[in-house]
Amino acid sequence: MRFSKDIEKIALKIINGERISSDDCLKLLEHNNLSEMFYLANIIREKRYGSFTTFSVNRHINYSNICQNKCLFCAFRKEENSKEARRLSIDSILKIVDEIRNYPYLEIHITGGLDPNFSFDDALTLVKKIKEIKKEAIIKAFTMVELDYFAKTSGLKDVEVLKRLKEAGISSFPGGGAEIFSPRIRKKICPLKIDGKRWLELSKKAHKLGIPTNATMLYGVGETEKEIVQHLDKLRSLQDETSGFMSFIPLLFQKENTPLKKLREVALAEQLKLYAVSRIFLDNIPHIKNHWVMSGLKAAEIYQWCGVDDLEGTVFEERIGHEGGAKTPIGMTKEAIEKIIKAANRIPVERDGLYNRVKKIGAA
Ligand code: V47
């Protein structure tokens, strides 16, 4: 393939397996020839995973939508005294887990708001009791934002919070709450939330204790391309130190029912480019995951040719994106996810919550 003059050198680096710089990354984000970008991202994707796209059977559970962080992008959060405030009791969460206990490789994804009536002890009890119901369930629970809140409200040191959750049975931490690290944007969209530095600090502490995590980036919230590169660069630098991130998940902002409704739509072409460039730049993060809830099901097909090797799982039931107006289903069957993967001429492979393939099917 002949590349445009302005990215020729960068393309050569990528083809030769060399790392690209932040400046290169910015150039790619500013470059308009999508087919070149997809081609380059796909080389990396196929070198690692061939034609396989993984997914997990998972269940998202939001224990509470009551949150003290009044993030402007979040349509999910409610005030304690609102009619729509919803805090699940530990027993009702256990009932949900009990209903799905027979599924063999199950990932349970638990997050909630910063709810003063959900304590760190509640979190530990919940995790322990889920493990009593289903010992082999992989529990991915509590974002860095919730972990910070647990540390503050319990008075325990970060490491103690992380260790206790690990002992209780947590396998990993989800990637939410990172938003976009840019202080300029955070000031506008989530002024009360922990800053990017703290999010990274807690991720690092989790990794050092051997707990893998994911990383997200919320986009479509007024960020510049430079701010995207800065976000990716911070993730890549931490990953160089710890190797603790399993996947990177871009999250397209769903703006309904939020005061940020007037922000411009992100064109599909820009979304696809972002995934491709993330795959290229984040050479040390194994997986690029598409959260189909936010991006849409049709786009989920194309992403698999723009660097994505992993689709978010069956999810049922999703609430965060849907409160923001997402038009996708609130959950999908395993067969429906496999259909999306096959529609893209990729091969579906079920994985567990730690990226182990459920059936051995030979090397990718
Ligand atoms: O933390 C909130 C973001 C996150 C909106 O780790 C929004 O495997 C878009 O982190 N529009 C929750 N995004 C989702 C998340 C996630 C999803 C799937 C898999 C994993 C994983 C993590 O969604 C929140 C916040 O960053 N968010 N509101 C919105 N209106």
Side-chain angles (χ1 to χ4, degrees):
M1 183 171 194
R2 276 193 81 81
F3 292 96
S4 312
K5 268 265 158 298
D6 55 331
I7 66 150
E8 213 171 18
K9 277 197 187 137
I10 305 172
L12 255 181
K13 280 194 205 172
I14 297 164
I15 289 167
N16 290 332
E18 286 168 38
R19 173 165 276 198
I20 65 162
S21 69
S22 296
D23 286 346
D24 295 338
C25 185
L26 186 60
K27 265 200 192 130
L28 291 182
L29 275 179
E30 287 168 352
H31 187 63
N32 285 328
N33 186 322
L34 293 179
S35 67
E36 291 177 348
M37 229 78 73
F38 298 171
Y39 174 81
L40 292 166
N42 198 48
I43 289 180
I44 300 170
R45 191 260 193 232
E46 291 197 352
K47 216 186 262 174
R48 295 184 186 197
Y49 307 108
S51 268
F52 299 116
T53 299
T54 49
F55 68 96
S56 67
V57 171
N58 65 356
R59 177 68 157 89
H60 283 210
I61 303 174
N62 300 118
Y63 58 86
S64 175
N65 61 2
I66 298 160
C67 186
Q68 300 192 331
N69 270 352
K70 301 171 197 241
C71 301
L72 279 78
F73 61 80
C74 184
F76 173 72
R77 95 164 265 279
K78 301 288 179 294
E79 289 288 345
E80 170 93 60
N81 56 9
S82 153
K83 272 196 203 131
E84 294 158 298
R86 180 172 170 267
R87 179 185 300 118
L88 300 181
S89 65
I90 290 186
D91 281 347
S92 61
I93 299 174
L94 296 177
K95 216 169 138 215
I96 297 171
V97 174
D98 198 41
E99 280 162 15
I100 49 175
R101 67 189 299 170
N102 288 331
Y103 195 82
Y105 306 97
L106 189 64
E107 177 194 74
I108 301 177
H109 175 137
I110 305 171
T111 57
L114 304 188
D115 181 342
N117 286 309
F118 185 87
S119 65
F120 183 49
D121 278 343
D122 291 332
L124 292 173
T125 306
L126 178 61
V127 175
K128 282 181 198 156
K129 290 202 167 171
I130 291 175
K131 281 296 210 188
E132 280 169 22
I133 294 177
K134 192 163 171 66
K135 202 165 120 258
E136 65 288 10
I138 295 209
I139 305 177
K140 175 178 65 178
F142 312 121
T143 64
M144 298 307 137
V145 183
E146 290 157 280
L147 297 176
D148 172 78
Y149 190 63
F150 291 149
K152 279 183 186 135
T153 50
S154 67
L156 293 168
K157 289 208 161 82
D158 296 342
V159 168
E160 198 52 42
V161 166
L162 299 170
K163 267 190 186 160
R164 287 189 195 188
L165 282 168
K166 191 179 179 189
E167 279 159 18
I170 288 265
S171 293
S172 68
F173 295 118
E179 318 318 349
I180 181 113
F181 295 142
S182 154
R184 180 185 77 87
I185 299 284
R186 285 183 104 81
K187 215 156 113 191
K188 291 186 189 171
I189 67 167
C190 52
L192 302 180
K193 185 166 260 172
I194 57 168
D195 61 13
K197 221 170 134 193
R198 176 74 175 138
W199 189 95
L200 289 159
E201 179 188 40
L202 278 164
S203 299
K204 182 171 173 173
K205 286 182 179 173
H207 298 171
K208 295 270 176 198
L209 287 172
I211 312 170
T213 72
N214 290 332
T216 56
M217 181 179 74
L218 180 68
Y219 70 101
V221 285
E223 70 287 348
T224 61
E225 279 151 346
K226 228 182 188 160
E227 285 164 332
I228 291 177
V229 175
Q230 282 161 357
H231 187 99
L232 298 179
D233 190 46
K234 289 203 157 71
L235 294 177
R236 189 171 80 169
S237 299
L238 178 55
Q239 183 73 344
D240 275 343
E241 274 184 64
T242 66
S243 303
F245 289 123
M246 296 183 290
S247 73
F248 174 64
I249 314 156
L251 296 171
L252 174 64
F253 175 44
Q254 310 293 305
K255 52 191 178 182
E256 290 305 309
N257 309 316
T258 78
L260 303 176
K261 240 171 145 169
K262 290 214 173 88
L263 284 171
R264 74 170 182 94
E265 294 287 336
V266 183
L268 180 59
E270 278 177 82
Q271 300 177 38
L272 296 167
K273 184 156 73 171
L274 174 65
Y275 274 82
V277 173
S278 302
R279 174 64 290 166
I280 294 166
F281 185 74
L282 297 173
D283 54 359
N284 53 4
I285 298 191
H287 303 282
I288 304 292
K289 185 200 278 199
N290 169 238
H291 191 26
W292 52 262
V293 165
M294 312 291 190
S295 69
L297 301 184
K298 280 289 155 202
E301 293 175 12
I302 312 172
Y303 280 122
Q304 298 169 67
W305 289 90
C306 310
V308 164
D309 65 281
D310 186 49
L311 289 194
E312 177 53 359
T314 49
V315 170
F316 186 81
E317 60 174 3
E318 205 287 330
R319 298 177 63 86
I320 297 171
H322 285 84
E323 297 279 353
K327 300 289 182 284
T328 42
I330 56 167
M332 290 216 283
T333 60
K334 183 177 153 182
E335 290 71 30
I337 305 235
E338 285 175 338
K339 207 169 154 191
I340 291 176
I341 297 173
K342 285 180 188 161
N345 294 321
R346 296 296 197 188
I347 305 163
V349 180
E350 187 182 343
R351 63 165 176 85
D352 71 9
L354 293 170
Y355 284 89
N356 301 302
R357 289 174 176 192
V358 162
K359 284 191 202 113
K360 292 269 173 276
I361 48 161

